[in-house]
Coordinates of all heavy atoms in Angstrom, one line a residue:
S1 N 114.8 29.6 113.6 CA 114.8 30.1 112.3 C 115.8 31.4 112.3 O 115.7 32.2 113.2 CB 113.4 30.5 111.8 OG 112.9 31.6 112.6
A2 N 116.5 31.5 111.2 CA 117.5 32.5 111.1 C 116.8 33.8 110.6 O 116.0 33.7 109.6 CB 118.6 32.2 110.2
K3 N 117.1 34.9 111.2 CA 116.5 36.2 110.7 C 117.4 36.7 109.7 O 118.6 37.0 109.9 CB 116.3 37.1 111.8 CG 115.2 36.7 112.8 CD 114.9 37.8 113.8 CE 113.8 37.4 114.7 NZ 113.5 38.4 115.7
G4 N 116.9 37.0 108.5 CA 117.7 37.6 107.5 C 117.2 39.0 107.2 O 116.3 39.5 107.8
I5 N 117.9 39.7 106.3 CA 117.5 41.0 105.9 C 116.6 40.9 104.8 O 116.9 40.3 103.7 CB 118.8 41.9 105.6 CG1 119.7 42.0 106.8 CG2 118.3 43.2 105.1 CD1 121.0 42.7 106.5
Y6 N 115.4 41.4 104.9 CA 114.4 41.3 103.9 C 114.4 42.5 103.0 O 114.6 43.6 103.5 CB 113.0 41.1 104.5 CG 112.9 39.9 105.3 CD1 112.9 39.9 106.7 CD2 112.7 38.7 104.7 CE1 112.8 38.8 107.5 CE2 112.6 37.5 105.5 CZ 112.6 37.6 106.8 OH 112.5 36.4 107.6
P7 N 114.2 42.3 101.7 CA 114.3 43.5 100.8 C 113.2 44.5 101.1 O 113.5 45.7 101.0 CB 114.0 42.8 99.4 CG 114.3 41.4 99.5 CD 114.1 41.0 101.0
L8 N 112.1 44.1 101.6 CA 111.0 45.1 101.9 C 111.5 45.9 103.2 O 111.1 47.1 103.3 CB 109.7 44.5 102.2 CG 109.0 43.9 100.9 CD1 107.7 43.3 101.3 CD2 108.8 45.1 99.9
G9 N 112.2 45.3 104.1 CA 112.7 46.0 105.2 C 113.7 47.1 104.9 O 113.7 48.2 105.4
I10 N 114.6 46.7 103.9 CA 115.6 47.7 103.4 C 114.9 48.8 102.7 O 115.2 50.0 102.9 CB 116.6 47.0 102.5 CG1 117.4 45.9 103.3 CG2 117.5 48.0 101.8 CD1 118.3 45.1 102.4
L11 N 113.9 48.5 101.9 CA 113.2 49.5 101.2 C 112.4 50.4 102.1 O 112.4 51.7 102.0 CB 112.2 48.9 100.2 CG 111.6 49.7 99.1 CD1 112.7 50.3 98.2 CD2 110.6 48.9 98.3
F12 N 111.8 49.9 103.2 CA 111.1 50.7 104.2 C 112.1 51.7 104.8 O 111.8 52.9 104.9 CB 110.5 49.8 105.2 CG 109.9 50.5 106.4 CD1 108.7 51.2 106.3 CD2 110.6 50.6 107.6 CE1 108.2 51.9 107.4 CE2 110.1 51.3 108.7 CZ 108.9 52.0 108.5
W13 N 113.2 51.2 105.3 CA 114.2 52.1 106.0 C 114.8 53.1 105.1 O 115.2 54.2 105.5 CB 115.2 51.3 106.8 CG 114.6 50.7 108.0 CD1 114.4 49.3 108.2 CD2 114.1 51.3 109.1 NE1 113.7 49.2 109.4 CE2 113.5 50.4 110.0 CE3 114.0 52.7 109.5 CZ2 112.9 50.7 111.2 CZ3 113.4 53.0 110.7 CH2 112.9 52.0 111.6
L14 N 114.9 52.7 103.8 CA 115.5 53.7 102.8 C 114.5 54.9 102.6 O 114.9 56.0 102.6 CB 115.7 53.0 101.5 CG 116.3 53.8 100.4 CD1 117.7 54.2 100.7 CD2 116.2 53.0 99.1
F15 N 113.2 54.5 102.6 CA 112.2 55.6 102.4 C 112.1 56.4 103.7 O 111.8 57.6 103.7 CB 110.9 55.0 102.0 CG 110.8 54.7 100.5 CD1 110.5 53.4 100.1 CD2 111.0 55.6 99.6 CE1 110.4 53.1 98.8 CE2 111.0 55.4 98.2 CZ 110.7 54.1 97.8
V16 N 112.2 55.8 104.9 CA 112.2 56.6 106.1 C 113.4 57.5 106.1 O 113.2 58.7 106.5 CB 112.3 55.6 107.3 CG1 112.6 56.4 108.6 CG2 110.9 54.8 107.5
A17 N 114.6 57.1 105.7 CA 115.7 57.9 105.7 C 115.5 59.1 104.7 O 115.9 60.2 104.9 CB 117.0 57.1 105.3
L18 N 114.9 58.8 103.6 CA 114.6 59.8 102.6 C 113.7 60.9 103.1 O 113.9 62.1 102.9 CB 114.0 59.2 101.3 CG 113.8 60.1 100.1 CD1 115.1 60.7 99.6 CD2 113.1 59.4 99.0
I19 N 112.7 60.5 103.8 CA 111.7 61.4 104.4 C 112.4 62.3 105.5 O 112.2 63.5 105.5 CB 110.5 60.7 105.0 CG1 109.7 60.1 103.9 CG2 109.7 61.6 105.9 CD1 108.6 59.2 104.3
I20 N 113.3 61.7 106.3 CA 114.0 62.4 107.3 C 114.9 63.4 106.7 O 115.0 64.6 107.1 CB 114.7 61.5 108.3 CG1 113.7 60.7 109.1 CG2 115.7 62.2 109.1 CD1 114.3 59.7 110.0
Y21 N 115.6 63.0 105.6 CA 116.5 63.9 104.9 C 115.7 65.1 104.3 O 116.1 66.2 104.4 CB 117.2 63.2 103.7 CG 117.9 64.1 102.8 CD1 119.1 64.7 103.2 CD2 117.4 64.4 101.6 CE1 119.7 65.6 102.4 CE2 118.0 65.3 100.7 CZ 119.2 65.9 101.1 OH 119.8 66.8 100.3
T22 N 114.5 64.8 103.7 CA 113.7 65.9 103.1 C 113.3 66.9 104.2 O 113.3 68.1 103.9 CB 112.5 65.3 102.5 OG1 112.9 64.3 101.5 CG2 111.7 66.3 101.8
C23 N 112.9 66.4 105.4 CA 112.4 67.3 106.4 C 113.6 68.0 107.2 O 113.4 69.2 107.5 CB 111.6 66.6 107.4 SG 110.1 65.9 106.7
V24 N 114.7 67.3 107.5 CA 115.7 67.9 108.3 C 117.1 67.9 107.7 O 117.8 68.9 107.8 CB 115.8 67.1 109.7 CG1 116.8 67.6 110.6 CG2 114.4 67.0 110.3
G25 N 117.4 66.9 107.0 CA 118.8 66.8 106.5 C 119.1 67.8 105.4 O 120.2 68.3 105.4
H26 N 118.1 68.2 104.6 CA 118.4 69.2 103.6 C 118.7 70.5 104.2 O 119.6 71.2 103.7 CB 117.1 69.3 102.7 CG 117.3 70.1 101.5 ND1 118.2 69.8 100.5 CD2 116.7 71.3 101.1 CE1 118.2 70.7 99.6 NE2 117.3 71.6 99.9
L27 N 118.1 70.9 105.3 CA 118.4 72.1 106.0 C 119.8 72.2 106.5 O 120.5 73.1 106.3 CB 117.4 72.3 107.2 CG 117.7 73.5 108.1 CD1 117.4 74.8 107.3 CD2 116.8 73.4 109.3
F28 N 120.3 71.1 107.1 CA 121.6 71.0 107.6 C 122.6 71.0 106.5 O 123.7 71.6 106.6 CB 121.8 69.8 108.5 CG 121.1 69.9 109.8 CD1 120.1 69.0 110.2 CD2 121.4 70.9 110.7 CE1 119.5 69.1 111.4 CE2 120.7 71.1 111.9 CZ 119.8 70.1 112.2
L29 N 122.3 70.3 105.4 CA 123.2 70.3 104.2 C 123.4 71.7 103.6 O 124.5 72.2 103.3 CB 122.7 69.3 103.2 CG 123.6 69.1 102.0 CD1 124.9 68.4 102.5 CD2 122.9 68.2 101.0
L30 N 122.3 72.5 103.5 CA 122.4 73.8 103.0 C 123.1 74.7 104.0 O 123.9 75.6 103.6 CB 121.0 74.4 102.8 CG 120.3 73.9 101.6 CD1 118.8 74.4 101.5 CD2 121.0 74.2 100.3
A31 N 123.0 74.5 105.3 CA 123.7 75.3 106.3 C 125.2 75.0 106.2 O 126.0 75.9 106.2 CB 123.2 75.0 107.7
L32 N 125.5 73.8 105.9 CA 126.9 73.4 105.8 C 127.5 74.1 104.5 O 128.6 74.6 104.6 CB 127.1 71.9 105.7 CG 128.5 71.4 105.5 CD1 129.3 71.7 106.8 CD2 128.5 69.9 105.3
F33 N 126.8 74.0 103.4 CA 127.3 74.7 102.2 C 127.4 76.2 102.4 O 128.3 76.8 101.9 CB 126.4 74.4 101.0 CG 126.5 73.0 100.4 CD1 125.5 72.4 99.9 CD2 127.8 72.4 100.4 CE1 125.6 71.1 99.3 CE2 127.9 71.2 99.9 CZ 126.9 70.5 99.3
G34 N 126.5 76.8 103.2 CA 126.6 78.2 103.5 C 127.8 78.6 104.3 O 128.4 79.7 104.1
L35 N 128.2 77.7 105.2 CA 129.5 77.9 105.9 C 130.7 77.8 105.1 O 131.7 78.5 105.3 CB 129.5 77.0 107.2 CG 128.5 77.3 108.3 CD1 128.6 76.2 109.3 CD2 128.7 78.6 108.9
V36 N 130.7 76.8 104.2 CA 131.9 76.6 103.4 C 132.0 77.6 102.3 O 133.1 78.1 102.0 CB 131.8 75.2 102.7 CG1 132.9 74.9 101.7 CG2 131.8 74.1 103.8
Q37 N 131.0 78.0 101.6 CA 131.0 78.9 100.5 C 130.5 80.3 100.9 O 129.4 80.7 100.5 CB 130.3 78.4 99.3 CG 130.8 77.1 98.8 CD 130.1 76.6 97.5 OE1 129.0 77.2 97.2 NE2 130.6 75.6 96.9
R38 N 131.2 81.0 101.7 CA 130.7 82.4 102.0 C 130.9 83.4 100.9 O 132.0 83.4 100.3 CB 131.5 82.9 103.3 CG 131.2 82.1 104.5 CD 130.3 82.9 105.3 NE 130.0 82.3 106.6 CZ 129.0 82.5 107.2 NH1 128.1 83.5 106.8 NH2 128.7 81.9 108.4
K39 N 129.9 84.2 100.7 CA 130.0 85.2 99.6 C 129.7 86.5 100.3 O 128.8 86.6 101.1 CB 129.0 85.0 98.5 CG 129.4 83.8 97.7 CD 128.4 83.6 96.5 CE 128.7 82.4 95.7 NZ 127.8 82.2 94.6
P40 N 130.4 87.6 100.0 CA 130.1 88.9 100.6 C 128.8 89.4 100.1 O 128.4 89.2 98.9 CB 131.3 89.8 100.1 CG 131.8 89.1 98.9 CD 131.6 87.7 99.1
V41 N 128.1 90.1 101.0 CA 126.8 90.7 100.6 C 127.0 92.1 100.4 O 127.5 92.9 101.2 CB 125.8 90.4 101.7 CG1 124.4 91.1 101.3 CG2 125.5 89.0 101.9
L42 N 126.6 92.7 99.2 CA 126.7 94.1 98.9 C 125.5 94.8 99.5 O 124.4 94.6 99.0 CB 126.8 94.3 97.4 CG 128.0 93.6 96.7 CD1 127.9 93.8 95.2 CD2 129.3 94.1 97.3
A43 N 125.7 95.5 100.6 CA 124.6 96.1 101.3 C 123.8 97.1 100.5 O 122.6 97.0 100.3 CB 125.1 96.7 102.6
D44 N 124.5 98.1 99.9 CA 123.8 99.1 99.2 C 124.6 99.5 98.0 O 125.4 100.4 97.9 CB 123.5 100.3 100.0 CG 122.6 101.3 99.3 OD1 121.9 100.9 98.4 OD2 122.6 102.5 99.7
S45 N 124.5 98.7 96.9 CA 125.3 98.9 95.7 C 124.7 100.0 94.8 O 125.3 100.4 93.9 CB 125.5 97.6 94.9 OG 124.3 97.2 94.5
G46 N 123.4 100.3 95.0 CA 122.8 101.3 94.2 C 122.2 100.7 92.9 O 121.5 101.4 92.2
A47 N 122.4 99.5 92.7 CA 121.9 98.9 91.5 C 120.4 98.5 91.7 O 120.0 98.0 92.8 CB 122.7 97.6 91.1
T48 N 119.6 98.7 90.7 CA 118.2 98.4 90.8 C 118.0 97.2 89.8 O 118.2 97.4 88.6 CB 117.3 99.6 90.4 OG1 117.7 100.7 91.2 CG2 115.9 99.3 90.6
P49 N 117.5 96.1 90.3 CA 117.3 95.0 89.4 C 116.1 95.3 88.4 O 115.2 96.1 88.7 CB 116.9 93.8 90.3 CG 116.4 94.5 91.5 CD 117.1 95.8 91.6
S50 N 116.2 94.6 87.2 CA 115.1 94.8 86.3 C 113.9 94.0 86.8 O 114.0 93.0 87.5 CB 115.5 94.3 84.9 OG 115.8 92.9 85.0
L51 N 112.7 94.4 86.4 CA 111.5 93.8 86.9 C 110.4 94.0 85.9 O 110.4 95.0 85.2 CB 111.1 94.6 88.2 CG 109.9 94.2 88.9 CD1 110.0 92.8 89.5 CD2 109.5 95.2 89.9
T52 N 109.6 93.0 85.7 CA 108.5 93.0 84.9 C 107.2 92.7 85.7 O 107.2 91.6 86.3 CB 108.6 92.1 83.7 OG1 109.7 92.4 82.9 CG2 107.4 92.2 82.8
M53 N 106.2 93.5 85.7 CA 105.0 93.2 86.3 C 104.0 92.6 85.3 O 103.9 93.0 84.2 CB 104.3 94.5 86.8 CG 105.1 95.3 87.8 SD 105.1 94.4 89.4 CE 105.8 95.7 90.4
L54 N 103.4 91.5 85.7 CA 102.5 90.8 84.9 C 101.1 90.8 85.5 O 101.0 90.3 86.7 CB 102.9 89.3 84.7 CG 102.0 88.4 83.9 CD1 101.9 89.0 82.4 CD2 102.5 87.0 83.9
I55 N 100.1 91.3 84.8 CA 98.8 91.3 85.3 C 97.9 90.4 84.5 O 97.8 90.6 83.3 CB 98.2 92.8 85.3 CG1 99.1 93.7 86.1 CG2 96.8 92.8 85.8 CD1 98.8 95.2 85.8
A56 N 97.4 89.3 85.1 CA 96.6 88.4 84.3 C 95.2 88.5 84.7 O 94.8 88.6 85.9 CB 97.1 87.0 84.6
A57 N 94.3 88.7 83.7 CA 92.9 88.9 84.0 C 92.1 88.5 82.8 O 92.6 88.5 81.7 CB 92.6 90.4 84.2
C58 N 90.8 88.1 83.1 CA 89.9 87.6 82.0 C 88.6 88.3 82.2 O 88.0 88.2 83.3 CB 89.8 86.1 82.1 SG 88.8 85.4 80.8
Y59 N 88.2 89.1 81.2 CA 86.9 89.9 81.3 C 87.0 90.9 82.5 O 85.9 91.1 83.1 CB 85.7 89.0 81.4 CG 85.4 88.2 80.2 CD1 85.6 86.8 80.1 CD2 85.0 88.8 79.0 CE1 85.3 86.1 79.0 CE2 84.8 88.1 77.8 CZ 84.9 86.7 77.9 OH 84.7 86.0 76.7
E60 N 88.1 91.4 82.8 CA 88.2 92.3 84.0 C 89.0 93.5 83.7 O 90.1 93.7 84.2 CB 88.8 91.5 85.2 CG 88.0 90.3 85.6 CD 88.5 89.6 86.8 OE1 89.3 90.2 87.6 OE2 88.3 88.4 86.9
E61 N 88.5 94.4 82.9 CA 89.3 95.6 82.5 C 89.5 96.5 83.7 O 90.6 97.1 83.8 CB 88.5 96.3 81.4 CG 88.4 95.5 80.1 CD 87.6 96.3 79.1 OE1 87.7 97.5 79.0 OE2 86.9 95.6 78.3
D62 N 88.6 96.6 84.6 CA 88.8 97.5 85.7 C 89.9 96.9 86.7 O 90.6 97.7 87.3 CB 87.5 97.7 86.5 CG 86.8 96.4 86.9 OD1 87.1 95.4 86.3 OD2 86.0 96.4 87.9
V63 N 90.0 95.6 86.7 CA 91.0 95.0 87.6 C 92.4 95.3 87.0 O 93.4 95.6 87.7 CB 90.8 93.5 87.7 CG1 92.0 92.8 88.4 CG2 89.5 93.2 88.5
I64 N 92.5 95.3 85.6 CA 93.7 95.6 85.0 C 94.2 97.0 85.2 O 95.3 97.3 85.5 CB 93.6 95.3 83.4 CG1 93.4 93.8 83.2 CG2 94.8 95.8 82.7 CD1 93.0 93.5 81.8
A65 N 93.2 97.9 85.2 CA 93.6 99.3 85.4 C 94.0 99.5 86.9 O 95.0 100.2 87.2 CB 92.4 100.2 85.1
H66 N 93.3 98.9 87.8 CA 93.7 99.0 89.2 C 95.1 98.3 89.5 O 95.9 98.9 90.2 CB 92.6 98.3 90.1 CG 93.0 98.3 91.5 ND1 93.0 99.4 92.3 CD2 93.4 97.2 92.4 CE1 93.3 99.1 93.6 NE2 93.6 97.8 93.6
G67 N 95.3 97.2 88.8 CA 96.6 96.6 89.0 C 97.8 97.4 88.4 O 98.9 97.5 89.0
R68 N 97.5 98.1 87.3 CA 98.5 99.0 86.7 C 98.8 100.1 87.6 O 99.9 100.5 87.9 CB 98.0 99.5 85.3 CG 99.0 100.5 84.7 CD 98.3 101.4 83.7 NE 97.3 102.2 84.5 CZ 96.1 102.6 83.9 NH1 95.8 102.2 82.7 NH2 95.3 103.3 84.6
D69 N 97.7 100.8 88.2 CA 97.9 101.9 89.1 C 98.7 101.5 90.3 O 99.5 102.2 90.8 CB 96.6 102.5 89.4 CG 95.9 103.1 88.2 OD1 96.6 103.4 87.2 OD2 94.7 103.3 88.3
N70 N 98.4 100.2 90.8 CA 99.0 99.7 92.0 C 100.5 99.5 91.7 O 101.4 99.9 92.5 CB 98.4 98.4 92.4 CG 98.9 97.9 93.8 OD1 99.4 98.7 94.6 ND2 98.8 96.7 94.0
C71 N 100.8 99.0 90.5 CA 102.3 98.8 90.2 C 103.0 100.1 90.1 O 104.2 100.2 90.4 CB 102.3 98.0 88.9 SG 101.8 96.3 89.0
L72 N 102.3 101.1 89.6 CA 103.0 102.4 89.4 C 103.3 103.1 90.7 O 104.1 104.0 90.8 CB 102.2 103.3 88.4 CG 102.2 102.8 87.0 CD1 101.2 103.6 86.2 CD2 103.5 102.7 86.4
T73 N 102.5 102.8 91.8 CA 102.7 103.4 93.1 C 103.8 102.7 93.9 O 103.9 103.1 95.1 CB 101.4 103.5 93.8 OG1 100.9 102.2 94.1 CG2 100.4 104.3 93.1
L74 N 104.4 101.7 93.5 CA 105.4 100.9 94.3 C 106.7 101.7 94.5 O 107.5 101.2 95.3 CB 105.7 99.6 93.6 CG 104.5 98.6 93.6 CD1 104.9 97.3 92.9 CD2 104.1 98.3 95.0
G75 N 106.9 102.8 93.9 CA 108.1 103.6 94.2 C 109.3 103.1 93.4 O 110.5 103.4 93.8
Y76 N 109.1 102.4 92.3 CA 110.3 102.0 91.5 C 110.7 103.2 90.6 O 109.9 104.1 90.4 CB 109.8 100.8 90.6 CG 110.8 99.7 90.6 CD1 111.0 98.9 91.7 CD2 111.6 99.4 89.5 CE1 111.9 97.8 91.7 CE2 112.5 98.4 89.5 CZ 112.6 97.6 90.6 OH 113.6 96.6 90.6
P77 N 111.9 103.2 90.2 CA 112.4 104.4 89.4 C 111.5 104.6 88.1 O 110.9 103.6 87.6 CB 113.8 104.0 89.0 CG 114.3 103.0 90.0 CD 113.0 102.3 90.4
A78 N 111.5 105.8 87.6 CA 110.7 106.1 86.5 C 111.1 105.3 85.3 O 112.3 105.1 85.0 CB 110.8 107.6 86.2
G79 N 110.2 104.9 84.4 CA 110.5 104.1 83.3 C 110.6 102.6 83.6 O 110.7 101.8 82.7
R80 N 110.5 102.3 84.9 CA 110.6 100.9 85.3 C 109.4 100.7 86.3 O 109.1 101.6 87.0 CB 111.9 100.6 86.0 CG 113.1 100.6 85.1 CD 114.3 100.4 86.0 NE 115.0 99.3 85.5 CZ 116.3 99.0 86.0 NH1 116.8 99.8 86.9 NH2 116.9 98.0 85.5
P81 N 108.8 99.6 86.4 CA 109.0 98.4 85.7 C 108.1 98.4 84.4 O 107.1 99.0 84.4 CB 108.5 97.3 86.6 CG 107.5 98.0 87.4 CD 107.9 99.4 87.5
P82 N 108.5 97.6 83.4 CA 107.5 97.4 82.3 C 106.4 96.6 82.8 O 106.5 95.7 83.6 CB 108.4 96.6 81.3 CG 109.6 96.2 81.9 CD 109.7 96.9 83.2
I83 N 105.2 96.9 82.4 CA 104.0 96.2 82.8 C 103.4 95.5 81.6 O 103.1 96.1 80.6 CB 103.0 97.2 83.4 CG1 103.6 98.0 84.6 CG2 101.7 96.5 83.8 CD1 102.7 99.1 85.1
L84 N 103.2 94.2 81.8 CA 102.5 93.4 80.7 C 101.2 93.0 81.3 O 101.0 92.6 82.4 CB 103.4 92.1 80.4 CG 104.8 92.3 79.9 CD1 105.5 91.0 79.7 CD2 104.7 93.1 78.6
A85 N 100.2 93.0 80.4 CA 98.8 92.5 80.8 C 98.5 91.3 79.9 O 98.4 91.4 78.7 CB 97.8 93.6 80.6
A86 N 98.3 90.2 80.5 CA 97.8 89.0 79.8 C 96.3 89.0 79.9 O 95.7 88.7 81.0 CB 98.4 87.8 80.4
V87 N 95.7 89.3 78.8 CA 94.2 89.6 78.8 C 93.6 88.5 78.0 O 93.9 88.2 76.8 CB 93.9 91.0 78.3 CG1 92.4 91.2 78.3 CG2 94.6 92.0 79.0
G88 N 92.6 87.9 78.6 CA 91.8 86.9 77.8 C 90.3 87.3 77.9 O 89.8 87.9 78.8
G89 N 89.6 87.0 76.8 CA 88.2 87.3 76.7 C 87.8 88.7 76.4 O 86.7 89.1 76.6
I90 N 88.7 89.5 75.8 CA 88.3 90.8 75.4 C 87.7 90.8 74.0 O 88.3 90.3 73.1 CB 89.6 91.8 75.5 CG1 90.1 91.8 76.9 CG2 89.2 93.2 75.0 CD1 89.1 92.4 77.9
D91 N 86.5 91.4 73.9 CA 85.9 91.4 72.6 C 86.2 92.6 71.7 O 85.7 92.7 70.6 CB 84.3 91.3 72.8 CG 84.0 89.9 73.4 OD1 84.7 88.9 73.1 OD2 83.0 89.8 74.1
R92 N 86.9 93.5 72.3 CA 87.2 94.7 71.5 C 88.4 94.4 70.6 O 89.4 93.8 70.9 CB 87.6 95.8 72.5 CG 86.5 96.4 73.1 CD 86.8 97.8 73.6 NE 87.1 97.7 75.1 CZ 87.9 98.4 75.7 NH1 88.6 99.3 75.1 NH2 88.1 98.3 77.0
P93 N 88.3 94.9 69.3 CA 89.4 94.6 68.3 C 90.7 95.3 68.8 O 91.8 94.7 68.5 CB 88.9 95.3 67.0 CG 87.4 95.5 67.2 CD 87.2 95.5 68.7
G94 N 90.7 96.4 69.4 CA 91.9 97.1 69.8 C 92.5 96.6 71.1 O 93.6 96.9 71.5
G95 N 91.8 95.7 71.8 CA 92.3 95.2 73.1 C 92.1 96.2 74.2 O 91.4 97.1 74.2
V96 N 93.0 96.0 75.2 CA 93.0 96.9 76.4 C 94.3 97.7 76.3 O 95.3 97.1 76.2 CB 92.9 96.1 77.7 CG1 93.0 97.1 78.9 CG2 91.6 95.4 77.8
H97 N 94.2 99.0 76.5 CA 95.4 99.9 76.5 C 95.7 100.3 77.9 O 94.9 100.7 78.7 CB 95.1 101.1 75.7 CG 94.7 100.8 74.2 ND1 95.7 100.4 73.3 CD2 93.6 100.9 73.6 CE1 95.0 100.2 72.2 NE2 93.8 100.5 72.3
L98 N 97.0 100.0 78.2 CA 97.5 100.4 79.5 C 98.0 101.8 79.4 O 98.3 102.5 80.3 CB 98.6 99.4 80.0 CG 98.1 98.0 80.2 CD1 99.3 97.1 80.6 CD2 97.1 98.0 81.3

């Protein structure tokens, strides 16, 4: 009997190759792109990126206050970062004030 190429065998080896690419090949492809497209790195440009801190809490006003205080102690320049609190379950009409 002649051995032919079976469609399931092709599909199997295609998926094996895809898994190997996902685990190993992608890393090598990114390394190759990194070698081809070199960009200079600005070590200390003095620019500070914008940043927004998001504190999500539900029925936890004390956690929100602690999170706000923690964000303010990170050493970011004054006036930054803006802090948003996503609060759910607050029964007060005025909400929570940061």
